Amino acid sequence: MTESLGARLLRILLTQRIALLAVLIVAVVVTFFVQDAGGYLTAPYDFDYMSAALINAVPLAMLGLAELLVILSGRGGIDLSVGAIVSLAGMVFGFAYGEWGWPLWAAIILTALFGALCGALNGFLVSFIGFPALIATLATYYAYKSLAIVINDQQPISTKPIQQLFSISESVELPLFGQYVPDVPLGIFTFLLPTVVAVWVLLARTTYGRRLYAIGTNDVAGRWAGLPVRDTRFKAYVYAGLLSGLVAVVTVGQFASARPDAGVSGNGMALPAITIAVLGGVAITGGIGRVAGVVLATLLIVWLNAGILLAFVGNEGSQYQLLALGAVLIFAALLNGLTNRRYGGTS
């Protein structure tokens, strides 16, 4: 039987998460542009505003990629501690660069390695001890959060070198054609793009990436095939911790201060990162997920939140952002379930 055009478009939108996210991004942007033209927003929603909002995409996308790695590893893989690692690693960075006078590059490497060490503890508990990922990372979330608070007697580190790091959060003009487009936050080029490329290469062009997809789909079959299941899953948590350490450097630059609550204040960074991963098409059962989906889901969330802030006066906007985040998470979960039942999964 020949498939109708409508049914074909529906199948493409449900099974091709990249196509669906692209449509949703256009819908969100057009909606706020129309509201702006009608005078319903408190400030202009234009390309300059959208470009400036990308500064929020840097930590969110990087942590979304961290969740991608651990969720891909299967067996209920998830990391609730990424926000707490950001807080604790940020304090380590504050001490190294702001207090001890380490060179910037050395402090960044130390912070990334410390984040990887925190992730290694998660990986050890999950992969070798056999703890459920939810329980293991919830426990380390509390531990890392507590250490971040007490390590400097609840005080942030805001020495002059730390304050000067705010320059990494500034927007820059693109070379050659920068005069025709809005300035772009520097963190997009110094942190986010290298991370996106590195994770894509890891998943799509290395043996480790193929093993991660394999054990996430069926770790019993992977074990019978001779794959190092525990080691592969362990490394996924290590990489997630390493990315969280790099996010710590980004947040210190954005706040111009190493804050002990940087990754856990409010609703923390972990839940938005998990939401982005699920919205990006990452199957919570493991083995399915793409880097491009996470990046597009981040853009959708960032530009949606930016528009909501302009649609309401005062702090109502930030509260409605939480409502939108919850609605998006439910939408993504329902969509994943519907797609799995009707078409067998998302690509």
Side-chain angles (χ1 to χ4, degrees):
M1 185 172 60
T2 304
E3 190 178 35
S4 67
L5 179 60
R8 185 178 180 185
L9 289 175
L10 178 62
R11 178 174 58 79
I12 291 174
L13 286 178
L14 288 179
T15 58
Q16 303 294 325
R17 184 54 56 92
I18 303 300
L20 176 64
L21 288 170
V23 170
L24 290 177
I25 288 173
V26 172
V28 166
V29 172
V30 169
T31 299
F32 285 117
F33 267 58
V34 170
Q35 290 189 353
D36 183 30
Y40 297 107
L41 301 181
T42 58
Y45 187 92
D46 51 24
F47 290 115
D48 287 328
Y49 181 68
M50 292 171 60
S51 180
L54 289 178
I55 188 64
N56 297 320
V58 179
L60 284 178
M62 292 175 68
L63 290 182
L65 293 172
E67 294 293 346
L68 166 67
L69 294 172
V70 296
I71 295 175
L72 277 180
S73 69
R75 283 195 63 190
I78 201 166
D79 193 343
L80 299 178
S81 69
V82 290
I85 294 177
V86 169
S87 294
L88 183 55
M91 295 304 294
V92 171
F93 178 76
F95 278 116
Y97 186 63
E99 298 280 359
W100 304 335
W102 283 34
L104 179 59
W105 64 268
I108 291 176
I109 292 176
L110 172 68
T111 307
L113 292 178
F114 182 81
L117 181 64
C118 294
L121 177 57
N122 289 333
F124 177 76
L125 293 174
V126 173
S127 303
F128 294 101
I129 304 298
F131 281 12
L134 185 70
I135 302 302
T137 58
L138 182 61
T140 54
Y141 163 81
Y142 288 126
Y144 298 153
K145 178 182 177 181
S146 174
L147 288 174
I149 292 174
V150 303
I151 194 173
N152 196 39
D153 197 22
Q154 304 183 45
Q155 298 300 312
I157 299 174
S158 303
T159 57
K160 189 175 181 179
I162 294 292
Q163 293 173 2
Q164 291 174 340
L165 273 181
F166 185 72
S167 59
I168 68 174
S169 300
E170 294 179 345
S171 294
V172 297
E173 183 178 292
L174 295 177
L176 301 179
F177 55 88
Q179 56 182 320
Y180 305 108
V181 296
D183 293 349
V184 179
L186 184 60
I188 297 289
F189 303 104
T190 54
F191 285 92
L192 181 54
L193 286 182
T195 300
V196 168
V197 173
V199 175
W200 180 81
V201 170
L202 179 71
L203 293 179
R205 292 291 184 270
T206 67
T207 303
Y208 174 80
R210 289 190 287 275
R211 287 175 178 171
L212 188 61
Y213 279 106
I215 71 164
T217 304
N218 190 329
D219 63 348
V220 175
R223 193 173 294 112
W224 279 98
L227 297 180
V229 174
R230 288 182 175 179
D231 182 67
T232 303
R233 183 168 288 129
F234 169 78
K235 288 179 179 175
Y237 287 87
V238 173
Y239 291 139
L242 188 147
L243 292 180
S244 302
L246 292 176
V247 172
V249 178
V250 174
T251 55
V252 169
Q254 289 181 350
F255 294 135
S257 171
R259 290 173 36 182
D261 63 344
V264 296
S265 62
N267 294 282
M269 290 183 168
L271 295 182
I274 295 169
T275 302
I276 285 172
V278 174
L279 180 63
V282 181
I284 203 69
T285 50
I288 299 174
R290 296 172 62 184
V291 171
V294 173
V295 174
L296 288 179
T298 305
L299 293 178
L300 175 63
I301 294 294
V302 166
W303 285 335
L304 175 64
N305 283 342
I308 290 175
L309 277 182
L310 299 184
F312 299 94
V313 180
N315 65 349
E316 284 188 10
S318 59
Q319 299 305 316
Y320 279 110
Q321 283 180 336
L322 299 177
L323 175 62
L325 197 62
V328 166
L329 183 57
I330 292 175
F331 170 76
L334 290 175
L335 200 61
N336 286 346
L338 174 63
T339 305
N340 287 333
R341 287 194 300 272
R342 184 162 182 170
Y343 300 106
T346 303
S347 63

